Amino acid sequence: MSTSTINTNPQFPNNKTSMLGMVGGGQLGRMFVHEAQALGFKVMVLEPEAGSPAAHAADGHIQAAYDDASGLQQLAAACTSFTTEFENVPAASLAKLAETGFVAPSAACVSIAQDRIEEKAFFTRCAPQTDILPAPHAILRTADDLEKVSADLFPGILKTARMGYDGKGQVRVKSMEELRTAFDNLKGVVCVLEKMLPLAYEISVLVARGADGQAVVYPIAENVHRDGILFTTTVPSPHVSEQAALKTQNAALKLIADIDYVGVLCIEFFVLEDGSVVVNEMAPRPHNSGHYTIDACVTSQFAQQVRAMARLPLGDVRQHSPCVMLNILGDIWFDDVEQNTERQPAWDKVLALPSAHLHLYGKSEARRARKMGHITFIAPTLEQAQDEMRQACAILGIEV
Ligand code: ATP
Ligand code: MG
């Protein structure tokens, strides 16, 4: 079917075309389902795993691989617009869905974010407009490329070009020798070696753009990572200067417009010790650092995703309460590192804290380093939110 037959008029909830298609079944998909249903839409999820967080909440589940022809056909038959919650969904699947419906973000946009090499090339191409570059880096496709690596990139971080998340697929290397070993261990996977930068702090900028080209940008979120996984997000950012905030927000708006992106996009930046700003990576979907928007903003990032794909106006991004978001990993279900005895976190005590909004993703099994949920602390002052976040950490046995 030619793309010209695709209906790009607004899609309204509560009628016979109100089913939205979601590729991916994780927690981001689940929170999308909640917002879609709040607006009166139904959601069909395509996800190979049984009992996924999104499928539990959705109106329908097609259990098939993201690139399964019959699964994609079923999804295409049920829905006229599609989105994704996972950037490693094959771009070809999104392109297939675009033959019969409206896909936001497009396969072309998602494919940039799927590959660190393309992503860095995109950031570099836009640098004349944004005035922000990615970290100095080298592309490593074969062992020969190692010989050309500048000594200036050490100490560095070797990252696989594709399929990385939550610090997976990353190795820190101090020398050429360590780089050789690490690259060999990855067995021919294309990588990027990035110079390790002196980070003062990390921020992310969440932007959304509608099908009409109107874009909105959320306040700067300040992120603390532990072992490569997001630990907390604090908004407003305690450290960011007004100048750095404006610079990164403007950059995010330029980047999202440059590729005619429709949907929610999150861009991660590093602020270095000398105050300069470096762009790290982008996620073509709602982001963990934007979970705070559910409780602290007029319109959540998931509601924006629904609105963008349905060609409806985007909502107000205004934050009404200072907040801290704390990620809940599977580790707290285990009493002791050695014994691995299971326990139940004391949610009753956490929920007794007035500012705590608990979100659990309904995952059946807790595993170490697995994202099980998050808590957003919203309070009249940031100090109060931070204080209750620390109290919750004490209750849950999380070191602050
Ligand atoms: P996620 O998908 O969770 O954002 P990821 O696996 O895609 O993570 P990155 O965002 O590239 O990985 O890196 C994870 C974290 O590692 C960063 O948030 C930062 O704390 C640290 N890090 C990454 N690159 C660098 C760098 N060049 N210099 C210093 N620290 C870095
Ligand atoms: Mg990251």
Side-chain angles (χ1 to χ4, degrees):
M1 198 183 288
S2 103
T3 47
S4 58
T5 60
I6 290 164
N7 185 356
T8 51
N9 292 328
Q11 181 175 0
F12 290 114
N14 275 329
N15 67 21
K16 63 180 169 41
T17 61
S18 69
M19 186 78 89
L20 304 177
M22 165 54 77
V23 185
Q27 63 266 19
L28 301 177
R30 177 183 176 92
M31 291 181 270
F32 167 88
V33 169
H34 291 155
E35 291 284 16
Q37 290 173 339
L39 271 172
F41 287 102
K42 295 186 173 69
V43 181
M44 181 71 79
V45 166
L46 174 69
E47 163 63 41
E49 275 187 37
S52 66
H56 269 310
D59 301 272
H61 174 205
I62 299 161
Q63 193 178 349
Y66 304 133
D67 57 356
D68 180 82
S70 141
L72 288 166
Q73 218 164 39
Q74 286 177 61
L75 190 66
C79 313
T80 56
S81 52
F82 309 90
T83 190
T84 174
E85 57 108 46
F86 177 51
E87 68 258 45
N88 293 326
V89 162
S93 299
L94 299 179
K96 183 77 199 155
L97 294 168
E99 289 174 10
T100 59
F102 181 72
V103 179
S106 68
C109 289
V110 172
S111 71
I112 298 172
Q114 285 178 336
D115 187 319
R116 290 190 196 274
I117 298 170
E118 271 198 57
E119 192 174 67
K120 283 178 167 37
F122 167 54
F123 293 146
T124 305
R125 179 174 66 70
C126 291
Q129 295 176 68
T130 62
D131 194 28
I132 304 177
L133 282 164
H137 61 278
I139 296 164
L140 307 177
R141 294 181 202 278
T142 66
D144 286 350
D145 294 329
L146 297 185
E147 305 314 315
K148 294 175 231 148
V149 165
S150 149
D152 187 50
L153 292 180
F154 294 104
I157 307 186
L158 183 68
K159 301 181 179 181
T160 55
R162 301 179 71 89
M163 303 300 270
Y165 69 99
D166 289 347
K168 292 190 175 70
Q170 298 195 9
V171 190
R172 299 190 172 204
V173 288
K174 289 201 265 335
S175 63
M176 189 51 140
E177 214 183 322
E178 286 186 14
L179 174 64
R180 273 202 199 95
T181 311
F183 188 71
D184 282 352
N185 287 344
L186 290 169
K187 297 192 190 342
V189 174
V190 178
C191 291
V192 173
L193 175 69
E194 256 179 63
K195 185 179 172 70
M196 178 82 90
L197 299 171
L199 312 189
Y201 56 95
E202 297 186 51
I203 57 175
S204 53
V205 180
L206 189 65
V207 267
R209 189 167 174 275
D212 59 358
Q214 296 290 317
V216 290
V217 55
Y218 282 89
I220 303 291
E222 185 170 323
N223 302 318
V224 174
H225 291 80
R226 272 196 189 168
D227 304 323
I229 304 176
L230 186 65
F231 177 56
T232 59
T233 294
T234 304
V235 194
S237 160
H239 291 104
V240 82
S241 66
E242 204 179 312
Q243 194 198 3
L246 281 175
K247 183 173 178 161
T248 49
Q249 285 177 316
N250 283 331
L253 290 169
K254 294 243 165 70
L255 291 165
I256 202 172
D258 183 88
I259 47 175
D260 199 17
Y261 188 101
V262 179
V264 176
L265 178 72
C266 185
I267 308 176
E268 299 177 7
F269 296 90
F270 298 146
V271 182
L272 307 189
E273 283 167 2
D274 67 2
S276 60
V277 178
V278 166
V279 57
N280 177 30
E281 60 171 357
M282 64 183 197
R285 48 164 174 80
H287 191 256
N288 196 166
S289 68
H291 289 357
Y292 81 91
T293 60
I294 299 173
D295 301 305
C297 294
V298 175
T299 314
S300 81
Q301 59 173 350
F302 302 101
Q304 304 285 29
Q305 187 179 19
V306 174
R307 287 166 180 244
M309 75 185 290
R311 281 89 60 203
L312 295 166
L314 298 183
D316 188 358
V317 292
R318 187 172 60 82
Q319 182 184 6
H320 50 70
S321 302
C323 68
V324 185
M325 188 281 312
L326 171 73
N327 258 346
I328 300 297
L329 303 183
D331 304 59
I332 63 164
W333 272 259
F334 300 97
D335 234 343
D336 180 86
V337 184
E338 259 71 61
Q339 292 171 4
N340 270 356
T341 40
E342 279 214 39
R343 63 171 182 170
Q344 197 44 243
W347 301 126
D348 52 344
K349 296 203 174 74
V350 170
L351 287 171
L353 298 168
S355 76
H357 289 243
L358 174 65
H359 300 255
L360 290 172
Y361 307 146
K363 296 186 181 177
S364 50
E365 191 197 348
R367 288 198 295 267
R368 289 184 192 282
R370 186 179 203 198
K371 288 175 181 171
M372 301 297 290
H374 70 271
I375 309 171
T376 313
F377 300 88
I378 62 169
T381 66
L382 184 58
E383 291 67 32
Q384 194 179 328
Q386 287 169 322
D387 181 57
E388 292 194 16
M389 186 273 283
R390 284 188 284 267
Q391 290 182 49
C393 286
I395 292 165
L396 297 170
I398 299 169
E399 264 178 60
V400 207

